[in-house]
Amino acid sequence: MRCEKDGGLLRAEYRSRSLTLASLPGIWTFIDWLPVRNPSLHGGDRSATYHSKGLARELNLKRLYVSFSGYWPERGAFMRTCSFKELESAPTLESLAESGGSDILVLASAGNTARAFAETASKTLQPVLLLVPNTSLDKIWTTVEPGRVCLVGVKGDYSDAILLAERIAQEPGFVPEGGARNIARRDGMGTVVLEAATVMGALPDHYFQAVGSGTGGIAAWEASTRLLKDGRFGSRLPRLHLSQNLPCAPIYSAWTGSAAGNEKELYGCPSGMYDDVLFNRSPPYAVPGGVRDALIQTNGEVYGITNEDAEMARHLFEETEEIDILPAPAVAVAALIKAVESGSVGRDETILLNITGGGLSMSMEEYPRYRLPTSFEAAPDAPAEDITRTVREVLGC
Ligand SMILES: *Cc1c(COP(=O)(O)O)cnc(C)c1O
């Protein structure tokens, strides 16, 4: 998962240079550019892009497109856990299965990622260990009967869970999920741009997304690069417009040099955030192939968004587009509003707004919710062997 020379992100090179859509369901339409050969077809929904009318009129934009990842059947979006983390869970679990691995996948998450992996793994019946801070345990549910998923509450925050996951993943029989370094995760998220480009007929001029780790931003850049080489989707990379929630905004701080989001400000994060899924203490920023490279290559921008801005943007979006969204994508909507005000995007340019999660109310109405039981709690410094032994017992492997 790391280039030996400089620690950079590895990138997949696919045999086909042009994008051929496969007649497979959901995300597997893009199998040409996913590290997957024979998907089991359990799970694997894709995002859905549509031409905005309501918000576009409000902001006076002619070519605003919304990429929706969540549950909105009328628009063709069927992710029942309601976030674009499902674009990562399906290809990751599929590629793990295809590599013949029966190891237990280890994952640290503060919410949406754990939910997506729990849902997908419950369909594919692959064993997964989720390490989730105690305060986030109530966010972990599935809409299908839970499968071989072991949920462990970590006495600490998300960073503690990440460190514990790194230690456990080194034990025999366990495999790290890899985060931003995992090609399956990035190329899964990259399908947002592939799907949008097939609907729009071209790459957008601008791409808006709220980020924590920035993995989605890197993925959008990589997918756009592949589409440029294809040749049918235009000749310019979309500009990345990434947004973070102030003051818990290390990417914003690193890119703009602003004091907001610096080490001192990060003390106390993520409490008080508009959405704590947008917080990652050490994002893959300066690593080769990471967020900084993506911003440089695309002439990108990073926005710092206050809770008040996000709240206003969320109301505006929900009223004009008539769907509920998760708090995180409201941060991207707020960034779009700022960009329109500052003239950073033109009224006639093509804009892709990535609504990374939404439709929770409809998903809750239509599907049952299984709260995942917590198997046990662990201290961040607990010996890895103690944990792995208990996890094996729980999962029966
Ligand atoms: C994780 C998440 C994000 C941020 O994703 P990155 O990994 O930083 O690209 C944005 N929105 C939602 C709903 C998320 O769950």
Side-chain angles (χ1 to χ4, degrees):
M1 290 197 180
R2 125 190 356 251
C3 173
E4 279 186 7
K5 214 168 72 193
D6 59 8
L9 304 187
L10 301 181
R11 191 174 296 155
E13 295 228 348
Y14 296 104
R15 200 157 289 149
S16 61
R17 273 209 144 207
S18 59
L19 179 65
T20 312
L21 302 180
S23 22
L24 290 169
I27 195 174
W28 312 122
T29 314
F30 308 105
I31 196 164
D32 259 10
W33 289 355
L34 288 170
V36 162
R37 281 175 210 275
N38 260 316
S40 70
L41 309 184
H42 293 295
D45 291 300
R46 67 174 181 204
S47 53
T49 300
Y50 68 91
H51 192 177
S52 160
K53 295 213 169 63
L55 183 65
R57 192 180 312 119
E58 198 65 40
L59 300 179
N60 192 17
L61 294 170
K62 283 209 186 105
R63 297 197 287 162
L64 172 62
Y65 288 80
V66 171
S67 164
F68 191 86
S69 287
Y71 192 73
W72 197 0
E74 283 164 77
R75 295 279 188 197
F78 299 98
M79 295 172 197
R80 296 187 201 171
T81 69
C82 297
S83 90
F84 79 157
K85 297 296 195 298
E86 285 194 31
L87 297 174
E88 304 182 291
S89 59
T92 297
L93 287 163
E94 183 59 41
S95 89
L96 188 65
E98 290 184 7
S99 66
S102 55
D103 290 348
I104 300 167
L105 186 75
V106 185
L107 179 98
S109 160
N112 295 344
T113 306
R115 204 160 66 223
F117 275 78
E119 176 91 3
T120 308
S122 294
K123 292 179 185 161
T124 62
L125 298 177
Q126 286 166 275
V128 172
L129 166 60
L130 302 176
L131 296 158
V132 174
N134 271 339
T135 47
S136 301
L137 287 171
D138 57 334
K139 289 194 220 161
I140 317 304
W141 45 265
T142 54
T143 71
V144 294
E145 197 96 45
R148 299 173 66 201
V149 181
C150 179
L151 177 63
V152 173
V154 179
K155 296 173 191 153
D157 64 11
Y158 180 43
S159 308
D160 294 318
I162 290 175
L163 292 176
L164 184 57
E166 279 172 6
R167 282 199 294 124
I168 294 176
Q170 285 167 18
E171 296 289 312
F174 290 78
V175 60
E177 149 284 326
R181 294 191 166 278
N182 176 353
I183 285 165
R185 270 186 86 154
R186 297 210 309 281
D187 290 355
M189 276 187 160
T191 63
V192 163
V193 171
L194 306 184
E195 192 273 337
T198 55
V199 169
M200 296 161 50
L203 279 162
D205 298 313
H206 303 279
Y207 171 86
F208 283 80
Q209 193 207 305
V211 296
S213 68
T215 309
I218 303 170
W221 165 51
E222 291 174 329
S224 300
T225 308
R226 290 190 182 114
L227 287 175
L228 278 194
K229 287 193 187 139
D230 176 302
R232 292 172 295 166
F233 297 93
S235 54
R236 235 184 17 192
L237 285 173
R239 283 187 70 192
L240 292 189
H241 298 260
L242 308 181
S243 45
Q244 293 211 291
N245 186 196
L246 295 174
C248 303
I251 292 177
Y252 172 76
S253 169
W255 180 252
T256 60
S258 147
N262 69 15
E263 279 295 326
K264 198 169 122 237
E265 295 270 351
L266 294 187
Y267 184 80
C269 290
S271 81
M273 280 184 79
Y274 195 64
D275 192 337
D276 61 12
V277 305
L278 293 182
F279 186 62
N280 187 308
R281 203 170 284 278
S282 37
Y285 179 76
V287 59
V291 179
R292 186 175 63 191
D293 283 349
L295 286 166
I296 292 171
Q297 295 298 321
T298 63
N299 187 24
E301 276 190 58
V302 185
Y303 302 74
I305 302 297
T306 62
N307 288 12
E308 294 72 41
D309 288 346
E311 183 66 11
M312 259 172 38
R314 184 174 177 177
H315 282 300
L316 181 67
F317 187 92
E318 293 187 340
E319 274 162 29
T320 53
E321 298 293 336
E322 297 175 12
I323 184 80
D324 56 293
I325 59 175
L326 298 188
V331 168
V333 178
L336 173 61
I337 295 170
K338 280 197 168 189
V340 169
E341 281 167 0
S342 72
S344 169
V345 296
R347 308 230 173 262
D348 297 322
E349 291 183 298
T350 323
I351 297 164
L352 182 62
L353 171 61
N354 190 348
I355 295 296
T356 47
L360 201 56
S361 57
M362 229 187 305
S363 166
M364 279 169 66
E365 257 171 45
E366 292 183 23
Y367 297 101
R369 272 183 168 208
Y370 299 88
R371 276 283 303 276
L372 249 76
T374 308
S375 296
F376 60 94
E377 291 189 4
D381 56 356
E385 317 86 73
D386 291 357
I387 297 180
T388 55
R389 197 181 324 113
T390 321
V391 171
R392 279 213 185 82
E393 278 165 25
V394 171
L395 294 174
C397 51

